[in-house]
């Protein structure tokens, strides 16, 4: 299992090392929001008294990285399914679960590198570091990324042979989850129906948990809610992904 996982991870990650600039290019939209949109939030009525706009905004950008990256991770698997290269892997003695775990580990590493780079770029802007909170926030973020990546692979498998279902579902989910989570703008002053929709959105609780952790507030109740949401997404994604791989692509 471990050997096969390492083999799949190496197969997926080596192309990333050969073109490292793709890591930066894939961060284009979140970084654009960070530099051009973040400074506009200073003095926003949705922020608590004395709360830094960057301390509020950067955790939301990190969750956005998690949505725009791992949620689209199934595209690479979809290309292999449509091109036939995945069929060659399926006739090898590779463990089916290792095929999923190796791919999700690749998304884990990419997300971690992008998150650390984003935090490093945000510090000169005024973002304050709480080391233990940063470590806990990154751990929560990575678990969410693993779950979303696994769900993305399941969607890619179900979308073959045309692949249209993959793009329809990801695009229909991505923007509502982003906008209703309050990661870009405070939801406190929105209409009641919008706040209710935001409360139902699990990403909302993850964003609030990230903000609490990155501010060093470990005892905040939002940390518990966000952790539960992340664990549920990760367990569901890994279970469905492993099941899909074992049944055959």
């Amino acid at each position: 299992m471990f050997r096969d996982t390492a083999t799949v991870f190496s197969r997926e990650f080596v192309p990333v090392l050969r073109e490292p600039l793709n890591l930066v290019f894939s961060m284009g939209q979140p970084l654009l929001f960070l530099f051009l949109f973040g400074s506009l939030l200073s003095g926003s009525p949705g922020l608590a008294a004395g709360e830094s706009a960057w301390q509020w905004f950067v955790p939301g950008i990190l969750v956005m990285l998690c949505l725009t990256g791992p949620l689209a991770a199934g595209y690479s698997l979809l290309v292999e399914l449509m091109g036939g290269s995945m069929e060659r892997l399926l006739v090898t003695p590779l463990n089916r679960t290792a095929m999923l775990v190796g791919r999700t580990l690749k998304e884990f590493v990419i997300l971690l590198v992008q998150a650390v780079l984003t935090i490093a770029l945000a510090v000169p802007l005024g973002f304050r570091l709480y080391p233990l909170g940063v470590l806990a926030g990154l751990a929560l973020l990575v678990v969410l990324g693993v779950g979303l990546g696994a769900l993305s692979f399941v969607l890619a498998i179900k979308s073959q042979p045309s692949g249209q279902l993959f793009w329809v579902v990801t695009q229909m989910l991505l923007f509502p989850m982003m906008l209703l989570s309050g990661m870009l703008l405070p939801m406190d002053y929105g209409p009641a129906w919008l706040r209710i929709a935001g409360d139902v959105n699990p990403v909302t609780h993850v964003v609030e948990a990230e903000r609490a952790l990155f501010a060093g507030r470990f005892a905040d109740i939002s940390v518990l809610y966000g952790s539960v949401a992340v664990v549920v997404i990760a367990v569901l994604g890994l279970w469905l992904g492993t099941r899909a791989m074992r049944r055959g692509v």
Side-chain angles (χ1 to χ4, degrees):
M1 175 65 182
F2 291 106
R3 183 186 66 248
D4 291 349
T5 299
T7 299
V8 175
F9 173 78
S10 176
R11 175 182 180 271
E12 296 294 320
F13 195 68
V14 167
V16 177
L17 293 178
R18 291 174 179 169
E19 298 180 359
L21 287 179
N22 285 343
L23 285 176
V24 179
F25 292 148
S26 62
M27 297 171 61
Q29 182 180 6
L31 289 181
L32 187 66
F33 278 106
L34 178 67
F35 289 110
L36 300 183
F37 193 72
S39 57
L40 299 176
L41 291 174
S42 298
S44 172
L47 302 181
E51 185 178 12
S52 167
W54 295 109
Q55 213 69 30
W56 185 91
F57 191 60
V58 172
I61 292 297
L62 295 177
V63 177
M64 181 189 293
L65 273 174
C66 199
L67 291 179
T68 57
L71 192 59
Y75 173 72
S76 61
L77 178 60
L78 185 60
V79 170
E80 293 186 8
L81 290 169
M82 296 173 66
S85 59
M86 191 63 187
E87 294 180 0
R88 299 187 183 97
L89 281 180
L90 293 175
V91 298
T92 67
L94 280 174
N95 184 286
R96 295 292 179 89
T97 303
M99 292 183 185
L100 175 70
V101 176
R103 288 176 178 272
T104 53
L105 283 178
K106 172 219 172 184
E107 301 303 323
F108 163 91
V109 174
I110 291 177
L111 177 62
L112 187 60
V113 171
Q114 291 179 332
V116 171
L117 180 57
T118 301
I119 293 172
L121 292 173
V123 169
L125 299 175
F127 181 69
R128 185 177 178 183
L129 288 179
Y130 294 85
L132 292 179
V134 169
L135 292 176
L138 288 177
L140 199 67
L141 198 69
V142 165
V143 175
L144 175 63
V146 169
L148 290 177
L151 289 173
S152 180
F153 294 138
V154 174
L155 183 58
I157 293 173
K158 298 299 182 181
S159 300
Q160 58 176 325
S162 66
Q164 292 181 356
L165 179 64
F166 179 83
W167 295 113
V168 170
V169 174
T170 53
Q171 293 305 310
M172 287 183 62
L173 288 177
L174 178 61
F175 290 103
M177 285 194 300
M178 286 174 52
L179 297 175
L180 292 174
S181 66
M183 67 173 61
L184 299 177
L185 289 171
M187 300 281 289
D188 299 341
Y189 294 93
W193 67 267
L194 196 62
R195 296 198 302 271
I196 294 173
D199 291 338
V200 175
N201 181 11
V203 181
T204 301
H205 303 292
V206 178
V207 172
E208 293 300 324
E210 290 290 325
R211 286 173 179 151
L213 289 172
F214 276 93
R217 303 194 308 268
F218 290 91
D220 198 303
I221 189 63
S222 61
V223 175
L224 175 62
Y225 293 152
S227 300
V228 171
V230 163
V231 170
V232 169
I233 292 172
V235 170
L236 181 64
L238 291 175
W239 176 67
L240 291 176
T242 302
R243 185 182 179 187
M245 285 290 185
R246 286 179 176 175
R247 286 188 170 185
V249 179

